[in-house]
């Protein structure tokens, strides 16, 4: 990115290619030059100055492009579209659920987008221009970007689904701390992704349901297909969340069952040793009159009696089907 906050500026040639422009060159841009796409870091002073004073767009769009906090949405401004979208974070050493936002103002003659972090989908479009396979107009750009943003979610969601399935298999054999930790991570990632994909689904729906003159019926059909794919991803996230919730309940059930079994064993042991403990305590008091205090064989008799009583109690519990 240049020090003036301009990530890139390209002038589309309507044949799949584009010409790169510098920050100084876009100062003199006019609509007669063709469709311009500028991509800024919204936190830079130069970006604020150009978008506010030189872009010529609506004040509502200016505020939306420069805001630091946003959620997926679509707003129709006259014959232009104001968009806020999110894409999965596929940058190195990043968490996919930490989704990256992009704000867009799209009209027939001008595209302004702002960001704080880089999106691979934007880089894909820039690379397509180099091969003369890029979008030729605003509607194609809108379809290309939303399609790439949505398609790149597939790998992340499939990975979540595979991890949930692996955990489901592991739970049959184990309920250790690693499994429970992994379940928490999967749930957190799925909830985080769904948090943004659900409103993004509504934003995509507005794109093809509202009237914009430069969006043809064919364009709206393509946007509808992209929205259907996004809806499928939201449903998949719901399915993943339901699956790991059931797995978590299964783990808690197994832990509860193990605890009940151990408490049952302790109860049986207590039932056997409670009367024996009572007798040993009774004969252990240091007062006069205890039987057998003068008999040297009394301890042996008492031990044999306690053992016989313990065996008898065990047999009684087993006969009563407590064991």
């Amino acid at each position: 990115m240049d020090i003036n906050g301009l990530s890139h500026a390209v002038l589309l040639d309507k044949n799949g290619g584009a010409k790169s422009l510098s920050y100084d060159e876009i100062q003199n841009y006019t609509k007669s030059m063709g469709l311009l796409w500028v991509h800024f870091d919204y936190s830079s002073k130069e970006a604020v100055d150009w978008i506010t004073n030189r872009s010529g767009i609506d004040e509502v769009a200016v505020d939306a492009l420069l805001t630091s906090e946003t959620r997926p949405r679509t707003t129709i401004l006259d014959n232009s579209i104001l968009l806020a979208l999110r894409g999965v974070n596929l940058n190195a050493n990043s968490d996919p659920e930490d989704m990256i936002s992009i704000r867009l103002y799209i009209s027939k003659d001008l595209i302004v987008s702002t960001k704080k972090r880089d999106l691979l989908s934007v880089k894909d479009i820039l690379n397509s221009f180099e091969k003369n396979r890029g979008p030729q107009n605003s509607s194609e750009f809108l379809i290309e970007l939303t399609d790439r943003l949505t398609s790149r979610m597939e790998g992340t969601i499939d990975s979540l689904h595979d991890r949930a399935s692996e955990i489901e298999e592991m739970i049959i054999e184990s309920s250790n701390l690693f499994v429970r930790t992994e379940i928490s991570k999967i749930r957190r990632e799925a909830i985080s992704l769904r948090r943004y994909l659900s409103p993004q689904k509504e934003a995509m729906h507005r794109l093809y349901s509202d009237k914009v003159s430069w969006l043809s019926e064919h364009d709206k059909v393509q946007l509808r297909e992209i929205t259907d794919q996004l809806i499928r991803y939201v449903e998949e996230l719901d399915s993943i969340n339901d699956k790991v919730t059931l797995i978590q309940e299964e783990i808690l059930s197994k832990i509860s069952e193990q605890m009940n079994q151990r408490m049952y064993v302790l109860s049986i042991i207590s039932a056997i040793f409670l009367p024996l403990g009572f007798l040993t305590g009774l004969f252990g008091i240091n007062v006069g009159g205890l039987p057998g205090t003068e008999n040297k064989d009394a301890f042996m008799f008492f031990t044999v009696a306690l053992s016989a009583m313990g065996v008898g109690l065990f047999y009684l519990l087993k006969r009563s089907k407590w064991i």
Side-chain angles (χ1 to χ4, degrees):
M1 183 186 71
D2 201 289
I3 57 173
N4 54 29
L6 179 65
S7 178
H8 63 262
V10 292
L11 194 63
L12 280 63
D13 63 9
K14 297 184 178 181
N15 291 311
K19 175 186 176 182
S20 295
L21 301 179
S22 66
Y23 183 79
D24 292 332
E25 289 175 321
I26 65 173
Q27 305 300 319
N28 302 317
Y29 166 76
T30 60
K31 292 182 179 181
S32 60
M33 297 171 62
L35 176 58
L36 174 68
W37 173 28
V38 290
H39 190 49
F40 280 104
D41 179 346
Y42 64 80
S43 62
S44 71
K45 293 180 179 180
E46 290 82 359
V48 174
D49 177 67
W50 193 91
I51 294 173
T52 304
N53 302 316
R54 299 179 182 274
S55 64
I57 62 179
D58 190 279
E59 291 183 3
V60 174
V62 171
D63 292 339
L65 290 171
L66 298 178
T67 184
S68 58
E69 296 295 330
T70 185
R71 67 190 298 273
R73 63 173 181 143
T74 295
T75 304
I76 305 299
L77 300 172
D78 294 329
N79 203 32
S80 58
I81 297 175
L82 180 61
L83 268 175
L85 299 174
R86 294 243 175 184
V88 292
N89 189 353
L90 298 178
N91 295 317
N93 302 318
S94 300
D95 296 325
E97 71 273 15
D98 181 22
M99 301 187 77
I100 300 175
S101 62
I102 182 171
R103 307 144 185 81
L104 298 120
Y105 170 86
I106 306 177
S107 66
K108 187 176 181 180
D109 305 304
L110 177 65
I111 300 171
V112 182
S113 56
T114 60
K115 53 89 179 183
K116 185 61 179 176
R117 293 175 291 173
D118 292 329
L119 267 173
L120 294 182
S121 298
V122 172
K123 293 181 179 179
D124 289 343
I125 296 178
L126 290 175
N127 292 335
S128 69
F129 284 134
E130 295 177 0
K131 302 174 183 178
N132 290 320
R133 296 179 180 175
Q136 300 180 21
N137 51 48
S138 296
S139 60
E140 288 188 8
F141 174 86
L142 175 62
I143 293 168
E144 183 80 9
L145 180 62
T146 54
D147 183 43
R148 289 185 180 276
L149 284 174
T150 305
S151 297
R152 282 190 176 275
M153 298 173 186
E154 183 173 7
T156 299
I157 294 175
D158 285 347
S159 176
L160 272 178
H161 188 277
D162 291 342
R163 286 163 58 194
S165 298
E166 290 174 5
I167 292 295
E168 192 173 22
E169 294 177 5
M170 291 174 64
I171 193 60
I172 298 175
E173 302 175 357
S174 172
S175 59
N176 59 30
L177 182 61
F178 168 77
V179 174
R180 282 175 278 169
T181 302
E182 187 66 15
I183 285 175
S184 298
K185 288 178 63 179
I186 293 173
R187 287 195 69 183
R188 186 181 66 250
E189 292 176 22
I191 291 171
S192 181
L193 286 170
R194 196 191 187 288
R195 173 189 173 191
Y196 293 109
L197 294 193
S198 185
Q200 188 150 313
K201 174 189 67 176
E202 300 302 323
M204 290 293 299
H205 175 75
R206 286 205 63 185
L207 283 178
Y208 63 80
S209 60
D210 290 346
K211 293 182 179 181
V212 180
S213 64
W214 45 270
L215 281 177
S216 66
E217 287 302 318
H218 178 68
D219 295 332
K220 292 183 178 182
V221 168
Q222 294 185 72
L223 289 171
R224 188 179 293 111
E225 289 299 316
I226 295 170
T227 305
D228 288 342
Q229 186 179 14
L230 188 58
I231 291 172
R232 182 172 63 83
Y233 290 156
V234 173
E235 292 173 347
E236 186 70 20
L237 288 173
D238 288 336
S239 174
I240 291 171
N241 196 32
D242 290 341
K243 177 180 288 188
V244 295
T245 299
L246 289 174
I247 294 172
Q248 195 169 40
E249 290 176 356
E250 179 66 21
I251 289 177
L252 293 176
S253 177
K254 288 184 67 175
I255 292 174
S256 178
E257 184 180 351
Q258 291 173 356
M259 184 175 295
N260 289 336
Q261 289 176 347
R262 290 165 184 166
M263 292 299 296
Y264 177 73
V265 172
L266 289 175
S267 299
I268 295 298
I269 294 173
S270 298
I272 294 174
F273 282 93
L274 183 62
L276 303 183
F278 170 75
L279 291 176
T280 55
L282 179 64
F283 279 84
I285 57 178
N286 191 19
V287 295
L290 287 175
T293 54
E294 303 297 331
N295 189 340
K296 63 178 182 179
D297 296 324
F299 177 74
M300 181 185 67
F301 293 147
F302 185 68
T303 302
V304 171
L306 288 179
S307 299
M309 183 180 293
V311 173
L313 287 170
F314 180 81
Y315 176 76
L316 179 63
L317 291 173
K318 189 171 183 179
R319 185 176 180 181
S320 301
K321 297 183 179 181
W322 281 34
I323 302 178

